[in-house]
Amino acid sequence: GRSPFAMPPREHAARSHADGIADDVSLVIHAAKAASQPPQPCAGQAQASSTAEISWRQLIVRCASVFFNVMCGLTNGYDICVTSAILPDLVSDLSLCGVDSSDRLSSCSQKQAVMSLAAAGSLTAKVCLAWTADRYGRRAALAIVDGLIIAAVLLQCWATSPAPFLAGRYVLGLGIGFAFVVEPMYVCEIAPPHRRGQLVTLNEVAVCVGCLLGLQVGAHLEAGGAVGAWRGATP
């Protein structure tokens, strides 16, 4: 039989429906209160925001890395174009093609080596020196790059015979080739992810700008006609 205390079915359904409406209203009120309050960052978000803020030292390191990355491209482009412009003066001043170097259009092995040794040194550095950046660190590798380029410039500027000048060309190729490996790598590691492609692309743009500068310097020296002026334009 039916219990005398049992609620009629219609009243039970009405009360359940009212309870559901009350729960929905309370959820809406709670959501409105939560939306009106400012969001509280979690511990991970707070740590990430503090990490995103860089110090002045990190900013200086990034700017210096971008600068040297651009200078690497400028040096490479300048070397390619200015060397071809001053090559006739090199032939006559250093007697690259023998004693009689009056023919500026003649070709010889030493004249060809002036243009090819830098490319050979660049290839050697890219293949054989890249491991030093992993073994001793990126900054140590950049110091090696600077030493190679400075030594190459001194060898070429002070050269009075073909041998030291050609050695300087090869050492310059080592420095430029090694820089092309280390500089973009280091910039990618310290740059923000959304800036990496842009900063690395600057290297390629700098090659074109350096080539234009080299052509302008070569044209200016050829117009001047001063003996030994190529030493000041040597990369």
Side-chain angles (χ1 to χ4, degrees):
R2 182 178 177 181
S3 173
F5 301 100
M7 184 178 297
R10 291 184 179 180
E11 295 181 6
H12 180 73
R15 179 168 295 183
S16 299
H17 182 67
D19 292 340
I21 294 175
D23 293 339
D24 294 339
V25 172
S26 62
L27 289 175
V28 171
I29 295 174
H30 180 72
K33 289 182 179 180
S36 62
Q37 296 178 356
Q40 299 294 331
C42 61
Q45 291 177 345
Q47 184 177 2
S49 61
S50 61
T51 307
E53 297 178 357
I54 61 174
S55 62
W56 282 104
R57 180 180 178 183
Q58 292 174 328
L59 181 61
I60 292 174
V61 170
R62 290 182 180 181
C63 293
S65 301
V66 173
F67 172 76
F68 285 112
N69 184 40
V70 173
M71 289 302 298
C72 171
L74 283 174
T75 304
N76 189 27
Y78 178 82
D79 169 70
I80 293 172
C81 294
V82 78
T83 305
S84 61
I86 66 176
L87 187 58
D89 294 332
L90 289 172
V91 172
S92 59
D93 195 8
L94 298 179
S95 300
L96 293 179
C97 293
V99 178
D100 185 12
S101 301
S102 58
D103 187 4
R104 297 164 66 94
L105 299 179
S106 63
S107 179
C108 62
S109 59
Q110 290 181 340
K111 188 175 180 181
Q112 296 166 4
V114 170
M115 301 301 298
S116 60
L117 278 178
S122 178
L123 178 62
T124 303
K126 292 175 182 177
V127 174
C128 301
L129 296 181
W131 62 272
T132 58
D134 294 329
R135 178 70 180 274
Y136 302 106
R138 311 292 191 250
R139 281 186 267 185
L142 292 175
I144 296 174
V145 168
D146 296 338
L148 289 172
I149 293 178
I150 292 174
V153 172
L154 294 178
L155 278 173
Q156 293 178 90
C157 289
W158 292 346
T160 56
S161 61
F165 184 83
L166 295 177
R169 292 291 299 166
Y170 184 77
V171 175
L172 179 66
L174 289 175
I176 293 176
F178 196 19
F180 260 91
V181 175
V182 180
E183 280 290 349
M185 185 189 309
Y186 188 57
V187 170
C188 285
E189 290 175 350
I190 67 173
H194 63 284
R195 294 290 185 185
R196 290 173 183 170
Q198 180 182 7
L199 296 179
V200 173
T201 305
L202 289 176
N203 186 284
E204 301 298 329
V205 176
V207 173
C208 301
V209 176
C211 188
L212 292 176
L213 291 176
L215 292 175
Q216 291 296 324
V217 172
H220 179 72
L221 293 178
E222 187 175 359
V227 178
W230 61 268
R231 297 181 185 274
T234 303

